[in-house]
């Protein structure tokens, strides 16, 4: 998700002083790509459509979890300057030949465990796990997935704070404190209605599942819709005059909380290629389905529509 925010921040790419600050901030992003990697011009993101798997990982020490709380597939087309973003419900049951059936958010941890059994190099194991994840979900969606970007929750909150908050319509009262088992520090207290949220409040808004009293239940589909709403609001804020001045801080917030396997030179090209992209240029498609504990069973027709949308965006 935060790599998408970096691209949305691309309007700074041609603005002199802000470009210099943004480039310095881009250099803080952690990349697993070989620094000597040179992408041929014909295959660069500046001229060729690109697909990226975006993973939101809860890396807080209180949880010890490796499950991916947010999963998106984003496709960008440099000719149309448009993007398609598919949100995958975390509890989706994935059934694919050659792979054990699991919840969508459990595959990264499983691939990582398998890789760690074969090597003591943690960085190598992580790269192998992400390669396996890209391959599997690429087969599932019927497209090649070029890169992976992994981000943590703090990065999302920091980006919103760098923009001095976002204005969204909170769809229900939300009251939740984590105090069972090993607390993860989650505290969500929001009132229903249109309001201004800071970073921690926006994070709570997109993550909310239910209140402590069991009321106001929230589904995977609700969370995916909220993610799209906040990303759209961020995109529009970045296009505003006041948003432009905050670009370096936004990219720095991303860089401090992201790992990716995209060569740094390609990140810079991506930003300059897609500068000025706004909410109207991004098609958000949250996958839908039916909840039957413990899985979300994806709607076959909606899934095919999402696959078609990705293929169309990636067409040269």
């Amino acid at each position: 998700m935060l790599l998408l925010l970096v691209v949305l921040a691309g309007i700074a790419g041609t603005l002199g002083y802000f470009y210099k600050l943004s480039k310095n901030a881009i250099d803080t992003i952690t990349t697993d790509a070989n620094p000597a990697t040179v992408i041929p011009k014909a295959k660069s993101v500046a001229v060729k459509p690109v697909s990226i798997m975006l993973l939101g990982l809860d890396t807080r020490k209180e949880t010890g979890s490796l499950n991916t709380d947010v999963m998106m597939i984003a496709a960008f087309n440099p000719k149309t300057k448009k993007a398609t973003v598919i949100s995958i419900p975390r509890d989706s049951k994935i059934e694919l030949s050659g792979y054990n059936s699991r919840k969508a958010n459990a595959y990264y941890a499983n691939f990582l465990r398998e890789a760690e059994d074969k090597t003591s190099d943690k960085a190598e194991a992580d790269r192998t796990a992400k390669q396996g994840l890209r391959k599997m979900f690429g087969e599932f969606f019927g497209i090649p997935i070029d890169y992976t970007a992994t981000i943590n929750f703090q990065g999302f909150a920091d980006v919103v704070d760098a923009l001095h908050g976002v204005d969204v319509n909170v769809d229900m009262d939300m009251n939740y404190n984590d105090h069972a088992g090993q607390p993860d520090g989650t505290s969500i207290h929001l009132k229903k209605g249109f309001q201004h949220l800071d970073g921690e409040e926006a994070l709570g808004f997109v993550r909310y599942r239910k209140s402590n009293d069991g009321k106001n239940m929230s589904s995977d589909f609700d969370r995916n819709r909220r993610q799209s709403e906040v990303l759209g609001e961020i995109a529009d804020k970045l296009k505003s005059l006041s948003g432009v001045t905050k670009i370096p801080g936004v990219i720095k917030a991303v860089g401090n909380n992201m790992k990716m396997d995209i060569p740094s030179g390609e990140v810079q090209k991506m930003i300059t290629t897609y500068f000025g992209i706004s909410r109207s240029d991004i098609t958000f498609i949250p996958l839908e389905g039916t909840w039957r504990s413990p899985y979300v069973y994806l709607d076959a027709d909606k899934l095919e529509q999402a696959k078609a949308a990705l293929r169309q965006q990636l067409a040269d």
Side-chain angles (χ1 to χ4, degrees):
M1 180 172 14
L2 292 185
L3 180 62
L4 180 60
L5 301 181
V6 171
V7 175
L8 298 180
I11 52 177
T14 57
L15 294 180
Y17 174 67
F18 291 117
Y19 174 72
K20 181 178 179 180
L21 292 180
S22 298
K23 186 178 184 303
N24 291 338
I26 291 169
D27 291 339
T28 68
I29 298 175
T30 301
T31 177
D32 291 333
N34 187 325
T37 300
V38 177
I39 304 297
K41 183 177 180 180
K43 294 185 178 181
S44 171
V45 296
V47 298
K48 184 179 181 296
V50 63
S51 60
I52 304 169
M53 186 157 202
L54 309 169
L55 306 175
L57 193 64
D58 186 355
T59 58
R60 292 170 298 176
K61 64 181 180 180
E62 293 90 347
T63 66
S65 172
L66 285 176
N67 285 348
T68 43
D69 205 58
V70 176
M71 303 184 73
M72 294 179 174
I73 307 294
F76 298 87
N77 191 302
K79 295 180 181 178
T80 63
K81 300 294 192 294
K82 294 184 181 298
T84 297
V85 180
I86 309 297
S87 297
I88 307 169
R90 51 175 283 174
D91 291 331
S92 299
K93 185 175 184 180
I94 304 297
E95 295 179 293
L96 185 65
S97 177
Y99 296 90
N100 292 330
S101 180
R102 291 186 171 88
K103 289 184 178 182
N105 74 331
Y107 280 100
Y108 170 72
N110 185 71
F111 282 131
L112 185 60
R113 282 192 294 268
E114 290 180 350
E116 288 176 338
D117 287 341
K118 299 177 181 178
T119 177
S120 59
D121 187 329
K122 291 186 177 181
E124 178 62 28
D126 185 59
R127 284 192 292 270
T128 301
K130 290 174 183 174
Q131 289 170 0
L133 198 66
R134 287 201 309 274
K135 181 178 183 296
M136 193 207 79
F137 277 96
E139 292 177 13
F140 183 74
F141 283 99
I143 62 168
I145 299 179
D146 302 298
Y147 300 113
T148 312
T150 305
I151 54 87
N152 61 45
F153 288 159
Q154 189 59 51
F156 180 87
D158 288 350
V159 166
V160 173
D161 283 336
L163 287 169
H164 296 177
V166 292
D167 299 311
V168 299
N169 183 36
V170 178
D171 50 313
M172 62 179 71
D173 287 341
M174 300 179 179
N175 288 288
Y176 177 79
N177 283 308
D178 185 74
H179 49 62
Q182 293 182 337
D184 65 7
T186 301
S187 180
I188 304 171
H189 299 284
L190 299 172
K191 289 292 185 180
K192 180 178 180 180
F194 188 81
Q195 56 193 283
H196 186 80
L197 305 182
D198 64 20
E200 285 298 323
E201 291 168 336
L203 177 60
F205 174 64
V206 301
R207 292 192 65 217
Y208 176 78
R209 299 179 72 87
K210 64 180 179 179
S211 291
N212 289 111
D213 59 9
K215 297 179 180 179
N216 291 353
M217 300 287 288
S218 186
S219 68
D220 273 356
F221 315 121
D222 294 326
R223 288 189 293 278
N224 286 348
R225 174 179 48 76
R226 295 186 194 117
Q227 290 164 19
S228 299
E229 182 178 354
V230 173
L231 283 175
E233 172 68 8
I234 288 172
D236 286 346
K237 288 200 73 170
L238 286 168
K239 285 201 71 175
S240 69
L241 182 60
S242 61
V244 168
T245 64
K246 302 180 180 69
I247 296 297
V250 170
I251 297 180
K252 185 176 181 179
V254 172
N256 289 338
N257 295 281
M258 172 185 284
K259 288 182 63 178
M260 62 184 185
D261 50 25
I262 307 173
S264 58
E266 289 296 283
V267 175
Q268 295 174 26
K269 290 177 183 177
M270 198 165 186
I271 288 180
T272 55
T273 298
Y274 293 95
F275 80 90
I277 195 171
S278 66
R279 187 191 305 224
S280 62
D281 300 313
I282 307 169
T283 300
F284 291 103
I285 304 178
L287 293 181
E288 299 175 1
T290 303
W291 166 256
R292 296 197 300 273
S293 182
Y295 298 108
V296 168
Y297 292 84
L298 295 174
D299 182 280
D301 290 339
K302 295 291 185 182
L303 178 58
E304 288 305 314
Q305 291 173 18
K307 291 179 180 179
L310 288 171
R311 288 194 299 269
Q312 182 178 0
Q313 199 68 266
L314 294 174
D316 284 332

